[in-house]
Amino acid sequence: QVQLVESGGGLAQAGGSLRLSCAVSGRSLSMRVMGWFRQAAGKEREFLAAITWSDGISTVADSVKGRFTISRDSGRNTVFLQMYNLKPEDTAVYLCASKPRYSDSSSWNIWGQGTQVIVSS
């Protein structure tokens, strides 16, 4: 079973940067995709970015493209979300997730506990 533990959240100023980490453990990681989502208070969960574990093919949502990047370090079993030029509207709980490769967007079946990001103006 894959397990995910996020870290790196906290308080940032508008215009600043943060890097979130997701520690990954478990088996068969090469057959999985890792992703980042966020959920702001009173809003639906929003997809941000995803990356295939085996070959690092990534995609980033249009809403954050140009400001957020996703990467993974398979040697350290960690997935990163680098966030630049933060805005107050980026304030949310950020969640790491995983799904089987070649599955559809409804198949995110493993989630971390989330890490809070607060961006002050």
Side-chain angles (χ1 to χ4, degrees):
Q1 178 75 326
V2 175
Q3 293 184 320
L4 308 171
V5 179
E6 303 95 332
S7 61
L11 182 64
Q13 289 190 332
S17 301
L18 274 179
R19 188 177 77 161
L20 305 183
S21 300
C22 175
V24 182
S25 61
R27 297 181 175 181
S28 302
L29 298 181
S30 62
M31 295 304 295
R32 299 197 69 87
V33 178
M34 307 299 170
W36 285 97
F37 291 73
R38 68 184 177 189
Q39 189 159 19
K43 295 188 176 181
E44 292 187 355
R45 188 169 293 177
E46 178 187 10
F47 169 79
L48 299 174
I51 189 166
T52 58
W53 187 261
S54 59
D55 48 15
I57 298 172
S58 64
T59 184
V60 179
D62 288 343
S63 61
V64 297
K65 193 170 290 183
R67 297 194 302 122
F68 290 11
T69 62
I70 187 170
S71 62
R72 87 295 185 226
D73 184 336
S74 55
R76 294 167 57 188
N77 273 23
T78 305
V79 180
F80 302 100
L81 183 70
Q82 179 69 56
M83 305 185 291
Y84 300 99
N85 190 22
L86 285 164
K87 305 175 181 181
E89 51 264 42
D90 293 322
T91 295
V93 174
Y94 284 70
L95 301 119
C96 184
S98 179
K99 71 179 182 81
R101 192 168 183 173
Y102 308 120
S103 63
D104 61 30
S105 60
S106 67
S107 300
W108 296 96
N109 59 345
I110 297 174
W111 295 85
Q113 82 287 353
T115 186
Q116 176 75 55
V117 171
I118 299 173
V119 183
S120 63
S121 57

